[in-house]
Amino acid sequence: MSVPAAFVGRTEELAALRDVVGLRPGSAAAVVVTGDPGSGKTRLLAEALAGVEGRRLLHVRGHETEAPVALAAAAPLLRELGALPEAGLAPFEPIQAFERAYRALASGGPAAIVVDDLQWVDDSSFALCQYLIRGAAEAAHDLAVVAASRPSPRVATFMHAVEDALPGRVRLLELADQPLQVAMARLEEDAQRLAGNAGDQFGVG
């Protein structure tokens, strides 16, 4: 049986993300992580959210090819909240989806909106995130917001909108290149994980 390797590096950023996810009841805060492709943004989010209990994780995932499709990125969040329209119903306005999602969010317990590849999130999903964050802030709902993005003008737009809803409770983390020794440790860690997975697959060890 393989043992998950410890997370290497990014300890300060990981602590900042976990601080937001571990909010006290009745509060809301956000952290946005930016970095170049391959800097470990997605893995950092996954590590921060691993083992989270007592908080619904609502995912928004941007995809470059789906950026023109309304609410494509927010589809996982809408499914998790049960806010998608039933099959066969006539098309409805985005505001209906927004309200449905907000009511489902407000009626539940603590939640976290997790946005990955923010730079490719379609405009409607982007607006939905802002709508939910503003609503949660006004209602003092327990909401954590963690987002990751490549450097993009969209980051500044998102930061401005979230800071407007959550003044003083938003943090931007910019991932710089890591030292060579950390990069080497990560390569060794990945090699060990692959070897462990191979051993599990073929009954070795």
Side-chain angles (χ1 to χ4, degrees), residues 7 10-18 20-21 30-49 113-119 145-152 154-156 158-159 162 170-176 178 186:
F7 189 67
R10 307 294 190 202
T11 54
E12 181 181 348
E13 295 90 343
L14 184 58
L17 285 166
R18 285 179 171 165
V20 170
V21 176
V31 59
V32 180
V33 180
T34 66
D36 292 330
S39 59
K41 302 180 296 297
T42 296
R43 187 174 178 202
L44 185 62
L45 289 189
E47 193 72 20
L49 297 168
I113 295 177
V114 183
V115 186
D116 200 6
D117 282 326
L118 174 65
Q119 75 277 0
V145 181
V146 291
S149 177
R150 296 180 183 182
S152 162
R154 176 137 288 192
V155 174
F158 188 76
M159 286 290 296
V162 178
V170 184
R171 183 173 178 184
L172 176 65
L173 300 176
E174 298 177 286
L175 300 186
Q178 290 189 312
R186 282 198 167 182

Side-chain angles (χ1 to χ4, degrees), residues 1 25 38 43 54 61 63 79 102 112 114 119 125 128 130-131 139 148 157 174 184 189 195 198 204:
M1 177 179 179
R43 187 174 178 202
R61 299 186 181 94
H63 297 279
R79 290 191 194 98
Y102 176 70
V114 183
Q119 75 277 0
S125 296
L128 172 60
Q130 296 177 57
Y131 189 90
T157 304
E174 298 177 286
M184 294 300 294
E189 168 197 323
V204 178

Side-chain angles (χ1 to χ4, degrees), residues 19-29 55 110 140-143 169:
D19 282 347
V20 170
V21 176
L23 285 170
R24 65 184 183 278
S27 60
R55 183 182 293 279
H141 189 78
D142 186 350
L143 180 68
R169 289 175 283 168

